[in-house]
Amino acid sequence: MEQNKLLSMIGLAKKAGRAIVGLPMISEHISKKQHISQDEFLLIEASDTSDGTHKKISNKCEFYNIRSVRIDSTCSELGAALGKSATAAVAILGKDMCHAVLDKINN
């Protein structure tokens, strides 16, 4: 997977209004939804999140049956792609955008 293309696609998702940035906002979004389709929601986690943050993300994803991916980019790199100084996680919304991001992850 080429990280620059992946990070560019994640940045594009944010610009298109198809991303939720930061664990607090993601958790709030998940808690408000009764059912989240795996095709329409993808949680992306930075590689250098703390053990506690990783456990929190993993537990929430497992409980709500949400697809998540840990990428080889740091919190700083992920944040820079989103116009932030750093972020541990971002959620991608929408079937088409999720598939586009997954294509970049799998290639």
Side-chain angles (χ1 to χ4, degrees), residues 46-58:
S47 61
D48 62 342
T49 55
S50 69
D51 290 339
T53 300
H54 178 67
K55 182 174 173 61
K56 187 175 185 178
I57 290 170
S58 297

Side-chain angles (χ1 to χ4, degrees), residues 57-76:
I57 290 170
S58 297
N59 289 345
K60 188 160 286 271
C61 289
E62 185 177 328
F63 182 80
Y64 287 100
N65 195 30
I66 292 171
R67 189 172 35 175
S68 67
V69 178
R70 196 169 197 183
I71 61 172
D72 286 334
S73 296
T74 64
C75 292
S76 296

Side-chain angles (χ1 to χ4, degrees), residues 2 19 21 30 35 40 42-43 50 53 55 58 68 73 75 80 84-88 90-91 104:
E2 190 175 324
V21 180
I30 291 170
H35 175 73
E40 297 178 3
L42 173 65
L43 194 143
S50 69
T53 300
K55 182 174 173 61
S58 297
S68 67
S73 296
C75 292
K84 305 277 186 186
S85 59
T87 189
V90 61
K104 297 295 181 201

Side-chain angles (χ1 to χ4, degrees), residues 2-20:
E2 190 175 324
Q3 289 305 106
N4 289 337
K5 288 183 180 180
L6 172 60
L7 292 173
S8 293
M9 183 60 71
I10 292 170
L12 181 66
K14 182 175 185 288
K15 288 177 186 173
R18 294 302 203 172
I20 302 171

Side-chain angles (χ1 to χ4, degrees), residues 23-53:
L23 197 52
M25 297 298 291
I26 294 168
S27 294
E28 182 180 325
H29 178 83
I30 291 170
S31 297
K32 287 182 178 180
K33 299 288 182 179
Q34 293 296 320
H35 175 73
I36 296 176
S37 170
Q38 281 198 355
D39 286 340
E40 297 178 3
F41 193 94
L42 173 65
L43 194 143
I44 298 172
E45 178 185 359
S47 61
D48 62 342
T49 55
S50 69
D51 290 339
T53 300

